[in-house]
Amino acid sequence: METAPLKSFATWARAELITQVGARITAVLAPGSPEQTENPRAIRALEAGIKGAGGGIKGKEAVADKVAYTWFNRIVALRFMDAGGYTTAGIVSPAAGQAVGQPEVLADAKRGVFDPDVVTDSTLVVLNGLLDGTRPSIDPQGEAYTLLLAEYCRYWNKSMPFMFEREGDYTELLIPANLLADESILARAVATMTPDVCRDVEVIGWLYQFYISERKDEVFAGFKKNKKAGAAEIPAATQLFTPHWIVRYLVENSVGRLWMLNHPESHLADQMDYYIAPVDEEPDYLKLTGPEALTVVDPACGSGHMLTYAFDLLYAIYEEEGYSPSEIPSLILSHNLYGTEIDSRAGALAAFALTMKARARQRTFFNKKVEPHICVIEPISFSADELGYLVTEDGDRQAEEAFWNQFEHADTFGSLIRPDSDLAVRLAEHLVALDDEGDLLRADAIDWARRAINQAGYLEQQYSVVVANPPYMGSKQMNPLLSQFMKEAHPDAKSDLFAGFIQRCTNLARPRGMVAMITMQSWMFLSSYEKLRASLLAHQQITSMLHLGARAFDSIGGEVVSSTAFILTNQPSANRASTRGRTGAFIRLVDGMSEAEKISALRTALVMRTTDVGFYLASAEDFAAVPGSPIVYWLSEKMRAAFSVGRPLSDVADLRQGLATADNSRFLRQWWEVSRSRSAFTCTSREEAASSGARWFPYNKGGEFRKWYGNHEFVVNWEHDGAEIRTFGVEDGGRPRSRAQNTGTYFSPSVSWSDISSGEAAFRRYPAGFIHDSTGHSGFGERTLLDQIALLLNSTYVMEVMKVLAPTMHFHIGYVGLVPVASDANHLPASVVQRLIETSHTDWDLAEMSWSFERNPLITLARPLRGLD
């Protein structure tokens, strides 16, 4: 799908609608406006909405943004239905076959043609008056069309209440103006959403992503200023539309796989292009009694892309089982598909998309009044008085009150909330017995309690398949409320929202159920997710994975997101022994520079199924052989064995972090900036340095990529054994800000490397005389050992090992300390290292930044040339 026109339309529409809706708010709230008299209830609702959003200008802007979004959704929905032929006349579109012109319903009205099922008698009188000139108006056709649009929205409320308002909703007051202009949002919607584009409901998801893209940019700009994301920012900050090929992989290898396990004779695999057949025989799988039992939930459903493709696959399953085509759409929406979402407008789009899927398959579907199971998780809380009658007399009052108020911050926590299923049943029964006693406030509280029970129902039940592209948000961007929640509810996954959702999705899946997700790849490798990995490998099996790396999303480009798509199967504790050693299929697509390249590589791998094309088999036991259990599926048996038989480098050498001055600009200089007479370059111990009378000493700060020798640029103020550094900050009455750690290794010979590198790490030998920095990680020992370690660490073997142990740009001392060292490493030829060091030393001294520099090599070369003149 060509998305550039969709992006241009959606971003323009957002700005235009916010402006127009804002103008309408000002107009209808002006003293003496006609709306004040004609629709006082809607005016009161609007004023309450503004007050609830903060009041004043801030409240008006928030309501304008919300209503603009609502009207965008409705106009897009109506245009989609017009283009698909689902309306009797074009509501926002000209008559069929006309590219431009007035909406067909207005053209019909001007000829006296009205749909009696839509237009009420009272509205008909006003419309006729406007169109025949007997009712005064400065814009009779515009006013007439506004009335028609409101009537059609009310009409479609009967079939799709999640998208179209009920009568009296204040959004009717705020219908954008100038809808009949040549460059109005209606005209541009018709031009952009052509019938060809609207053949695929995927267009709804793209428009949703592009509509909020500028808001997303605003939120990320705030992150750079250290602002935190709250409920208002999370939907925009975390929305990312999933490419269709990834959706297909996820759904086909979860929903499709589960059905194929239950029905190996099925021909469903013939239409699943990205299906990976099981590698091993799987006798122990989730048994399904029929298609209705195959339940699917997306706990962060956005605009419903995962669910709409699941609809297609489920339709094929029902069809294969012999169900009547007229029944299938209703059965799917009634029994199979569920979604939850914190953004009400996204939830409305998801429900609409599923409804359109059903209507495309069944012409009379709208008459069935079947609504998709899409639940917008709303904030709900109750006062002490309300809790007094919502709790039971003989129950655990504290637990029941916590249950009723667990959704207080639902617009922040969303599907991560885990309701107690037993309490949900108990309190639902109690709620049925409650009477409002004629009290309007009590009735309202009971109504909200029903909503809380409904939300809990979505989140406490378990499903056959859980499929999701969850929100991504690092702990640094979380507001204090969300950060604390993650620490308490998901301590092993607190570093990012997506990791919390991995855990939550495994809870939502039934025993032997499947979890299909696309997330950032960081959980596969980083030490901060080690406990999460251990839990997943113990309780779930990775049945397949597409390791996507960067550039899997053409819509965002660049190296912004490195991702992985994977399928997990929940393993009941009684079956874990029988599944031990079972392998999963892993396909490596990290080298593809675009979606097209990755798709091509995936198709090749699915056919060839060899490591040459990136198809690997690995088990949980394979990962457990490596410290930290990273998901390093590509490792050879020999490489895995090296971790089993080798000793960690940290057991062989003394690896230490060094000095952290807390203020480098104060305590560090480049060596040529200070007096040579106050510098000492050859001290071999702290005692010698202290007695030297010098102020400045060589400092190993890491530095650029350089092997064997070099990066001798800095000196540090370590006068009087670092007295000034050690007391830095104490003068302010606090603890020292600096960290003079591992001082026993200062001035000792070492092997060292830089903490950060954009590629592979480079290891260098340092002679005696240096103090090492906290980012100039170093290893210590006797000279021969250090030479052998330098030779080992700069080898291609360790280069491959470091891809496993340190997959990011950081080469922390803890990662390097895990490098496995074979028992015969002491036979490595140290003499080779000396030659390499000498060569690198000579090269370093050719630069003027070396304190051993003598002359520029070009001068040396020029002398014999002058002799030839």
Side-chain angles (χ1 to χ4, degrees):
M1 180 177 291
E2 175 58 46
T3 59
L6 300 178
K7 182 174 184 179
S8 176
F9 165 64
T11 53
W12 169 85
R14 178 175 182 263
E16 180 73 8
L17 285 171
I18 289 174
T19 299
Q20 292 193 20
V21 171
R24 285 292 299 155
I25 290 174
T26 300
V28 302
L29 292 182
S33 71
E35 292 80 7
Q36 300 269 1
T37 303
E38 296 171 2
N39 205 338
R41 194 178 88 174
I43 289 290
R44 288 194 298 272
L46 173 59
E47 290 173 338
I50 292 171
K51 183 178 180 181
I57 295 176
K58 179 182 177 182
K60 289 181 180 179
E61 289 177 347
V63 169
D65 181 73
K66 178 181 178 180
V67 174
Y69 200 163
T70 299
W71 275 111
F72 178 78
N73 280 7
R74 291 171 183 166
I75 290 168
V76 163
L78 291 169
R79 171 54 190 163
F80 187 91
M81 290 195 293
D82 285 349
Y86 303 155
T87 53
T88 54
I91 301 171
V92 298
S93 315
Q98 297 182 20
V100 295
Q102 290 185 331
E104 188 176 7
V105 293
L106 178 60
D108 287 349
K110 290 161 68 175
R111 296 195 303 272
V113 178
F114 300 93
D115 188 334
D117 292 332
V118 177
V119 181
T120 62
D121 292 341
S122 58
T123 301
L124 183 60
V125 171
V126 178
L127 286 170
N128 283 328
L130 287 167
L131 295 176
D132 65 15
T134 58
R135 183 182 176 97
S137 173
I138 59 174
D139 181 17
Q141 291 194 37
E143 191 174 335
Y145 180 68
T146 296
L147 289 172
L148 282 169
L149 182 58
E151 289 283 77
Y152 274 94
C153 285
R154 293 172 196 151
Y155 171 78
W156 284 108
N157 169 263
K158 301 170 188 175
S159 299
M160 291 176 277
F162 46 82
M163 180 63 75
F164 299 101
E165 82 267 16
R166 62 191 182 279
E167 185 173 5
D169 189 295
Y170 71 71
T171 58
E172 284 187 11
L173 299 176
L174 306 178
I175 295 177
N178 301 319
L179 292 179
L180 302 179
D182 290 341
E183 283 298 309
S184 71
I185 185 171
L186 298 193
R188 294 189 64 162
V190 170
T192 303
M193 298 175 65
T194 64
D196 283 344
V197 169
C198 291
R199 286 177 183 169
D200 193 339
V201 76
E202 184 181 338
V203 66
I204 299 299
W206 283 116
L207 287 170
Y208 169 58
Q209 170 156 313
F210 294 139
Y211 184 88
I212 65 173
S213 61
E214 290 187 351
R215 174 61 178 149
K216 184 172 186 175
D217 292 341
E218 293 169 7
V219 173
F220 274 79
F223 288 162
K224 293 179 180 179
K225 298 176 182 177
N226 205 33
K227 293 182 180 179
K228 306 299 181 184
E233 291 77 29
I234 288 175
T238 58
Q239 164 61 22
L240 186 60
F241 189 69
T242 315
H244 191 62
W245 64 283
I246 297 176
V247 171
R248 289 195 61 180
Y249 159 77
L250 293 172
V251 175
E252 289 171 6
N253 288 281
S254 54
V255 176
R257 181 187 180 99
L258 191 53
W259 184 255
M260 292 299 297
L261 288 172
N262 279 267
H263 294 270
E265 78 288 351
S266 172
H267 293 286
L268 187 67
D270 296 340
Q271 66 185 67
M272 297 193 298
D273 294 342
Y274 302 108
Y275 176 59
I276 304 172
V279 176
D280 301 315
E281 185 179 354
E282 296 190 29
D284 188 37
Y285 52 83
L286 178 61
K287 305 301 191 292
L288 301 173
T289 56
E292 294 93 336
L294 210 175
T295 54
V296 183
V297 69
D298 184 343
C301 69
S303 56
H305 194 186
M306 303 282 192
L307 297 175
T308 56
Y309 184 64
F311 181 99
D312 291 337
L313 213 56
L314 286 161
Y315 192 95
I317 289 171
Y318 275 100
E319 199 170 39
E320 188 176 67
E321 289 295 288
Y323 284 71
S324 167
S326 63
E327 298 176 347
I328 295 174
S330 296
L331 287 171
I332 293 174
L333 297 193
S334 298
H335 296 287
N336 298 105
L337 297 180
Y338 298 81
T340 59
E341 174 59 45
I342 61 172
D343 183 344
S344 60
R345 291 143 305 185
L349 288 175
F352 175 77
L354 286 173
T355 303
M356 292 303 101
K357 277 288 185 182
R359 170 58 182 83
R361 296 282 190 172
Q362 219 275 315
R363 292 182 60 84
T364 61
F365 178 78
F366 291 146
N367 298 330
K368 295 180 180 293
K369 303 294 189 292
V370 175
E371 284 189 42
H373 293 302
I374 302 296
C375 179
V376 176
I377 308 296
E378 299 178 278
I380 301 174
S381 61
F382 300 94
S383 68
D385 290 342
E386 292 166 340
L387 290 171
Y389 50 80
L390 290 176
V391 300
T392 61
E393 292 183 1
D394 56 345
D396 182 335
R397 184 180 182 90
Q398 184 176 1
E400 291 184 3
E401 288 184 354
F403 178 92
W404 286 121
N405 279 331
Q406 66 188 320
F407 293 112
E408 180 180 3
H409 303 292
D411 50 356
T412 298
F413 304 151
S415 299
L416 293 178
I417 296 169
R418 294 187 62 182
D420 184 298
S421 56
D422 292 335
L423 273 179
V425 173
R426 176 185 175 87
L427 292 174
E429 293 173 352
H430 172 64
L431 198 59
V432 171
L434 283 182
D435 184 82
D436 61 27
E437 301 175 357
D439 185 329
L440 291 177
L441 293 178
R442 183 182 172 103
D444 185 60
I446 291 174
D447 180 59
W448 279 105
R450 292 192 187 102
R451 297 191 200 185
I453 291 291
N454 181 57
Q455 292 182 176
Y458 278 81
L459 298 182
E460 57 87 15
Q461 68 173 299
Q462 291 185 305
Y463 303 83
S464 307
V465 172
V466 183
V467 59
N469 179 356
Y472 309 167
M473 181 182 291
S475 56
K476 292 182 180 179
Q477 284 79 49
M478 298 177 191
N479 66 8
L481 184 69
L482 180 56
S483 178
Q484 187 61 34
F485 174 85
M486 289 293 291
K487 290 173 184 176
E488 294 175 357
H490 298 280
D492 297 342
K494 63 186 177 185
S495 298
D496 200 289
L497 263 183
F498 82 79
F501 267 88
I502 292 177
Q503 288 189 320
R504 183 67 178 104
C505 287
T506 62
N507 303 141
L508 284 167
R510 294 173 60 188
R512 302 182 185 85
M514 293 186 176
V515 174
M517 303 183 74
I518 175 169
T519 69
M520 294 177 70
Q521 69 177 26
S522 50
W523 71 269
M524 298 169 61
F525 310 112
L526 296 188
S527 59
S528 54
Y529 297 109
E530 183 175 341
K531 291 182 179 179
L532 172 63
R533 286 194 299 275
S535 176
L536 292 177
L537 295 175
H539 300 96
Q540 285 79 35
Q541 182 204 354
I542 305 176
T543 56
S544 71
M545 176 180 283
L546 303 186
H547 187 189
L548 302 167
R551 295 185 169 88
F553 295 77
D554 285 348
S555 61
I556 57 176
E559 299 279 346
V560 178
V561 176
S562 289
S563 57
T564 183
F566 54 93
I567 314 296
L568 305 174
T569 301
N570 275 348
Q571 300 293 340
S573 55
N575 294 353
R576 286 172 202 154
S578 64
T579 60
R580 188 173 294 117
R582 185 175 292 174
T583 58
F586 297 79
I587 300 178
R588 189 170 179 83
L589 304 175
V590 297
D591 294 330
M593 301 300 287
S594 66
E595 287 185 38
E597 289 186 15
K598 292 180 189 294
I599 292 170
S600 176
L602 172 58
R603 287 175 173 164
T604 301
L606 290 173
V607 173
M608 303 293 290
R609 296 173 76 97
T610 64
T611 57
D612 293 341
V613 293
F615 188 97
Y616 298 86
L617 300 178
S619 68
E621 287 68 33
D622 293 331
F623 305 139
V626 181
S629 301
I631 311 302
V632 284
Y633 54 86
W634 65 88
L635 279 193
S636 66
E637 282 190 37
K638 288 185 177 179
M639 187 68 82
R640 282 195 292 269
F643 284 99
S644 299
V645 302
R647 295 171 61 199
L649 179 62
S650 59
D651 288 354
V652 176
D654 186 18
L655 305 184
R656 300 289 177 176
Q657 285 184 310
L659 174 64
T661 70
D663 190 345
N664 283 347
S665 62
R666 175 172 179 170
F667 295 110
L668 298 192
R669 298 289 184 271
Q670 291 181 304
W671 67 265
W672 57 83
E673 296 179 316
V674 300
S675 169
R676 188 78 178 226
S677 63
R678 297 296 312 280
S679 304
F681 292 91
T682 59
C683 295
T684 59
S685 68
R686 285 171 55 200
E687 293 75 17
E688 182 181 351
S691 62
S692 68
R695 180 181 181 87
W696 302 101
F697 299 87
Y699 194 62
N700 169 12
K701 196 175 178 294
E704 65 182 13
F705 181 90
R706 187 172 180 86
K707 292 183 178 181
W708 308 115
Y709 187 93
N711 292 350
H712 301 177
E713 302 174 56
F714 292 94
V715 289
V716 63
N717 174 5
W718 194 251
E719 189 174 19
H720 305 311
D721 199 32
E724 186 177 348
I725 288 179
R726 290 174 184 273
T727 59
F728 180 53
V730 175
E731 61 271 16
D732 299 327
R735 294 181 177 181
R737 290 168 53 191
S738 61
R739 291 199 321 276
Q741 54 194 351
N742 301 311
T743 56
T745 59
Y746 292 6
F747 302 102
S748 300
S750 67
V751 174
S752 188
W753 65 96
S754 303
D755 178 67
I756 296 177
S757 174
S758 59
E760 63 184 88
F763 298 86
R764 297 173 290 281
R765 283 283 274 112
Y766 277 79
F770 284 78
I771 295 174
H772 55 111
D773 183 80
S774 58
T775 59
H777 303 312
S778 301
F780 301 91
E782 53 92 16
R783 175 177 173 175
T784 301
L785 174 64
L786 294 179
D787 288 345
Q788 291 170 334
I789 289 175
L791 187 61
L792 174 68
L793 293 178
N794 279 325
S795 67
T796 54
Y797 158 72
V798 169
M799 190 188 308
E800 292 302 312
V801 168
M802 293 310 297
K803 291 178 183 177
V804 174
L805 298 176
T808 67
M809 294 189 298
H810 284 273
F811 294 87
H812 189 270
I813 197 166
Y815 300 150
V816 176
L818 295 174
V819 169
V821 180
S823 58
D824 59 354
N826 58 343
H827 297 310
L828 289 172
S831 58
V832 173
V833 179
Q834 285 304 307
R835 291 198 298 271
L836 292 167
I837 293 172
E838 288 170 8
T839 301
S840 183
H841 190 168
T842 300
D843 175 71
W844 177 256
D845 287 345
L846 292 176
E848 292 184 11
M849 66 180 62
S850 169
W851 54 63
S852 298
F853 173 79
E854 294 181 357
R855 66 174 64 88
N856 191 301
L858 294 176
I859 297 174
T860 304
L861 290 172
R863 285 176 176 170
L865 292 176
R866 284 199 300 270
L868 293 174
D869 290 342

